[in-house]
């Protein structure tokens, strides 16, 4: 896997660039959409929860934005990963390219988009809140999520071409996860369902982001290690399947 | 079996002496699953039994009617898929590439950037493209448009650029699927001449076509496949005679 990625590194970089450019060029507002998208989604939740249901916690907008932005990164890895190989269909039927290259490109594209949004969000947050020393842990959490997202992307890229029906399940699954990961609500350690809820690695991750950014507390390092391990296992499994069926994917993608 | 991509990144292909066997295909069969439903499964043998050897420097013409399994054979030789039965063995380090026009082109990128993107997908190294880029642009004859998005190109311009990228591709075994000349009339003449020259040179070529005349003109040996089975193999003259009956 690492050998293939190294060998095709230049192709990967050029493809990432190509994808980013064509994505931003297509719309008039270009790169601004990266930012507008989570903000618009936040506005919807804000309207529902603050104006209609009168539920308001402290720093609700920031709370929401963190959840939405981090969740979107994950969701795009899963959904775009699933189609990454079939989208390269014509190419892989004509030229041999290691299949692990395509989900890797997808992951990198979304990571860069995420990075752009995060840096803009960071400006917003540092205006609204007082920076705390715990913010230094942010790169560690982002790295953890990267490992997790990469694993999810590789695995969905590896499996979905065999069972295209899964893409239906994925869209329902991500919606369920959106509700189950605490994107727009908080579950406190005192709640009885807390431990069950936190079995979801995504919920764990979102909690860590909020711990360090909103509450100025250090993250639970154990949880981060736990989530990275899950991610690592998924990366290995995904890469294994992709490599094993390397010559089979061109037959099942049209 | 070495895959098609092996060592394509490192410099020019290994030199082989004329007559060295580069590739051996024995009883190769490729069976596709025709539909994916779990309720109904039917298999389709695109290739059932094909055997041949390919020697350095020769040009082998594969002839057969539509659906005979020609394209599947090319994919097999390019290392994109593997046979379900039989073997395809390339000699250590031998590369085989299908000539693909506009492989992996991205519409929003400029022509120049697409040269890189497509070249890298085809297995060129970045250094190699850096060296060749100006020659490629000159050859394409669309220098004035090279820095605008490919989306704005006409079909002819796209074909020109695509051809300019691939005609420098160095590979031990060149796999060709019909396409010889592309673009408008002048460019077509130019490209057809180049391809013909390439096929007749020391380059090892497998050319697939349903046109007997093309194979007759360009290949010294021919293989006739029908319904996935090799019917006959031998000197072009003899095979074509039988094929046209």
């Amino acid at each position: 896997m690492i050998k293939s990625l190294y060998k095709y590194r230049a192709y990967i970089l050029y493809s990432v660039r190509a994808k980013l450019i064509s994505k931003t060029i297509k719309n008039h507002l270009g790169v601004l959409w990266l930012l507008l998208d989570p903000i618009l989604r936040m506005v919807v939740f804000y309207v529902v929860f603050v104006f209609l249901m009168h539920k308001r916690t402290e720093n609700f907008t920031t709370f929401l934005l963190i959840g939405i932005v981090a969740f979107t990164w994950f969701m795009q890895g899963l959904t775009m990963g699933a189609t990454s190989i079939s989208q390269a269909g014509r190419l892989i039927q004509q030229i041999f390219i290691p299949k692990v290259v395509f989900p890797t490109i997808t992951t990198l594209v979304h990571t860069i988009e995420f990075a752009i949004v995060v840096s803009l969000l960071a400006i917003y947050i540092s205006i609204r809140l007082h920076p705390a020393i715990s913010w230094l842990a942010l790169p560690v959490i982002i790295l953890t999520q990267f490992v997790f997202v990469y694993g999810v992307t590789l695995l969905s890229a590896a499996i979905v071409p065999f069972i295209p029906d899964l893409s239906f399940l994925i869209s329902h699954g991500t919606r369920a996860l959106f509700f189950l990961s605490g994107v727009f609500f908080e579950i406190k350690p005192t709640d009885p369902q807390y431990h069950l809820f936190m079995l979801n690695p995504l919920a764990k991750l979102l909690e860590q982001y909020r711990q360090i950014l909103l509450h100025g507390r250090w993250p639970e390092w154990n949880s981060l290690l736990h989530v990275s391990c899950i991610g690592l296992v998924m990366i290995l499994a995904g890469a294994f399947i992709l490599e094993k069926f390397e010559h089979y994917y061109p037959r099942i993608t049209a | 079996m070495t895959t098609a991509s092996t060592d394509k990144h490192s410099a020019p292909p290994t030199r082989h002496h004329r007559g060295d066997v580069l590739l051996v295909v024995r009883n190769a069969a490729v069976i596709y699953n025709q539909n994916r439903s779990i309720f109904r499964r039917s298999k389709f043998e695109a290739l059932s039994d094909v055997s041949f050897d390919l020697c350095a420097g020769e040009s082998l013409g594969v002839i057969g009617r539509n659906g005979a399994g020609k394209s599947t054979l090319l994919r097999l030789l390019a290392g994109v898929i593997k046979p379900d039965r039989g073997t395809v063995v390339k000699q250590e380090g031998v590369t085989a590439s299908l000539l693909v026009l506009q492989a992996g082109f991205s519409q929003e990128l400029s022509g120049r950037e697409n040269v890189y993107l497509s070249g890298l997908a085809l297995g060129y190294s970045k250094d190699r493209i850096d060296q060749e880029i100006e020659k490629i642009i000159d050859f394409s004859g669309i220098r004035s448009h090279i820095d605008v998005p490919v989306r704005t190109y006409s079909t002819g311009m796209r074909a020109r650029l695509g051809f300019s990228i691939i005609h420098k591709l160095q590979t031990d075994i060149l796999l060709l699927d019909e396409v010889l000349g592309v673009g408008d009339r002048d460019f077509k003449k130019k490209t057809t001449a180049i391809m013909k020259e390439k096929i007749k040179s020391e380059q090892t070529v497998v050319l697939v076509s349903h046109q007997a005349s093309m194979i007759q003109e360009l290949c010294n040996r021919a293989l006739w496949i029908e319904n996935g089975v090799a019917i006959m193999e031998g000197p072009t003259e003899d095979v074509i005679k039988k094929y046209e009956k």
Side-chain angles (χ1 to χ4, degrees):
Chain A
M1 168 199 180
I2 291 167
K3 226 172 103 189
S4 309
L5 290 180
Y6 182 73
K7 196 163 147 188
Y8 280 82
R9 64 194 184 284
Y11 176 67
I12 293 173
L13 291 180
Y14 261 86
S15 295
V16 168
R17 225 168 70 91
K19 292 237 157 104
L20 285 172
I21 290 176
S22 47
K23 265 175 121 172
T24 47
I25 274 181
K26 261 186 200 148
N27 304 305
H28 295 290
L29 289 178
V31 76
L32 264 183
W33 273 115
L34 286 181
L35 195 63
L36 284 177
D37 190 55
I39 289 178
L40 289 177
R41 238 180 288 182
M42 182 210 64
V43 168
V44 173
F45 282 100
Y46 193 82
V47 168
V48 171
F49 284 94
V50 176
F51 286 107
L52 299 179
M53 293 168 73
H54 302 289
K55 282 195 179 152
R56 191 188 173 109
T57 46
E58 209 190 339
N59 291 321
F60 191 58
T61 48
T62 321
F63 180 89
L64 268 177
L65 272 178
I66 294 171
I68 290 171
V69 168
F71 185 84
T72 307
W73 187 18
F74 157 82
M75 187 188 70
Q76 288 188 325
L78 183 60
T79 50
M80 305 308 279
T83 57
S84 62
I85 287 182
S86 61
Q87 275 196 341
R90 231 174 70 87
L91 195 60
I92 60 170
Q93 285 178 9
Q94 297 169 319
I95 304 170
F96 176 83
I97 296 177
K99 308 303 167 286
V100 70
V101 161
F102 300 102
T104 303
I105 292 171
T106 308
T107 307
L108 290 179
V109 166
H110 292 121
T111 302
I112 291 172
E113 288 182 350
F114 175 77
I116 295 171
V117 178
V118 163
S119 15
L120 293 168
L121 193 64
I123 299 171
Y124 171 79
I125 292 180
S126 46
I127 294 169
R128 297 216 37 164
L129 311 168
H130 296 291
I133 185 87
S134 64
W135 290 19
L136 291 176
L138 187 61
V140 183
I141 303 182
I142 291 179
L143 187 69
T144 306
Q145 192 178 353
F146 175 80
V147 173
F148 186 71
V149 169
Y150 190 36
V152 167
T153 313
L154 280 191
L155 207 55
S156 72
I159 293 173
V160 175
F162 288 104
I163 317 166
D165 313 51
L166 278 180
S167 49
F168 289 99
L169 285 182
I170 284 178
S171 68
H172 289 286
T174 47
R175 193 166 315 137
L177 271 176
F178 183 79
F179 290 106
L180 291 174
S181 304
V183 173
F184 54 87
F185 59 85
E186 193 174 11
I187 289 205
K188 299 216 161 57
T190 46
D191 291 328
Q193 297 95 343
Y194 178 78
H195 289 286
L196 189 64
F197 187 78
M198 283 302 158
L199 284 178
N200 172 6
L202 219 52
K204 264 273 179 259
L205 266 174
L206 295 194
E207 194 189 41
Q208 306 311 311
Y209 278 112
R210 285 155 179 167
Q211 286 284 347
I212 66 156
L213 292 174
L214 292 176
H215 308 304
R217 281 192 289 253
W218 291 104
E220 302 165 25
W221 302 107
N222 267 343
S223 307
L224 292 182
L225 192 68
H226 186 78
V227 175
S228 330
C229 284
I230 295 175
L232 213 57
V233 168
M234 287 193 295
I235 291 176
L236 292 176
F240 176 79
I241 299 171
L242 286 169
E243 212 154 295
K244 178 141 175 90
F245 295 99
E246 191 71 89
H247 296 275
Y248 196 72
Y249 289 105
R251 297 180 179 214
I252 53 176
T253 51
Chain B
M1 178 181 140
T2 30
T3 48
S5 67
T6 312
D7 292 329
K8 250 200 289 179
H9 281 268
S10 46
T14 24
R15 284 276 135 235
H16 296 281
H17 297 292
R18 205 178 173 89
D20 285 357
V21 176
L22 298 187
L23 174 85
V24 178
V25 180
R26 285 289 172 269
N27 307 101
V30 173
I31 301 152
Y32 291 116
N33 278 329
Q34 225 158 10
N35 49 45
R36 289 184 187 153
S37 165
I38 53 166
F39 306 111
R40 212 157 50 97
R41 267 190 198 282
S42 52
K43 305 225 169 208
F44 166 65
E45 285 206 14
L47 227 50
S48 316
D49 185 5
V50 173
S51 306
F52 64 90
D53 293 355
L54 187 69
C55 298
E58 75 171 336
S59 44
L60 173 72
V62 179
I63 194 152
R65 295 177 176 86
N66 286 333
K70 302 187 297 287
S71 302
T72 303
L73 181 61
L74 279 190
R75 281 203 213 166
L76 209 53
L77 300 184
V80 167
I81 57 174
K82 281 189 173 172
D84 292 294
R85 287 196 309 264
T87 51
V88 175
V89 181
K90 286 187 200 119
Q91 212 188 76
E92 186 83 29
V94 168
T95 61
S97 320
L98 184 65
L99 220 57
V100 190
L101 285 174
Q102 303 163 42
F105 263 32
S106 168
Q107 298 297 311
E108 302 291 340
L109 290 190
S110 72
R112 187 189 298 273
E113 286 166 317
N114 268 305
V115 173
Y116 279 92
L117 196 61
S118 192
L120 290 167
L122 287 164
Y124 290 94
S125 69
K126 172 132 187 329
D127 292 343
R128 178 89 202 290
I129 305 174
D130 285 336
Q131 281 169 24
E132 301 280 348
I133 182 92
E134 293 307 317
K135 280 181 234 161
I136 291 174
I137 297 171
D138 280 335
F139 186 88
S140 70
I142 54 165
R143 182 173 283 280
S144 53
H145 289 81
I146 200 68
D147 288 311
V148 300
V150 164
R151 167 172 53 87
T152 63
Y153 284 21
S154 68
T155 316
M157 286 162 71
R158 250 171 249 185
R160 276 167 170 263
L161 189 62
F163 188 87
S164 310
I165 298 168
I166 56 164
H167 95 280
K168 289 267 181 180
L169 185 68
Q170 286 182 354
T171 174
D172 295 319
I173 304 172
L174 187 65
L175 308 171
L176 290 171
D177 195 354
E178 311 259 3
V179 220
L180 280 181
V182 293
D184 49 37
R185 215 182 55 198
D186 284 349
F187 199 69
K188 197 168 202 151
K189 236 188 218 163
K190 191 167 149 191
T191 53
T192 308
I194 286 175
M195 289 322 297
K196 284 185 177 170
E197 199 181 305
K198 205 163 197 166
I199 294 170
K200 288 182 171 168
S201 73
E202 289 293 294
Q203 174 77 55
T204 315
V205 178
V206 177
L207 167 68
V208 153
S209 180
H210 61 265
Q211 276 178 277
S213 59
M214 193 184 283
I215 293 202
Q216 201 153 21
E217 182 191 352
L218 297 168
C219 303
N220 39 37
R221 207 154 61 91
L223 171 74
W224 170 19
I225 53 176
E226 208 62 65
N227 294 322
V229 182
I231 305 268
M232 189 184 173
E233 188 216 326
T236 313
E237 295 291 313
D238 305 352
V239 177
I240 298 291
K241 223 175 260 170
K242 283 266 166 64
Y243 173 76
E244 287 192 323
K245 259 185 191 167

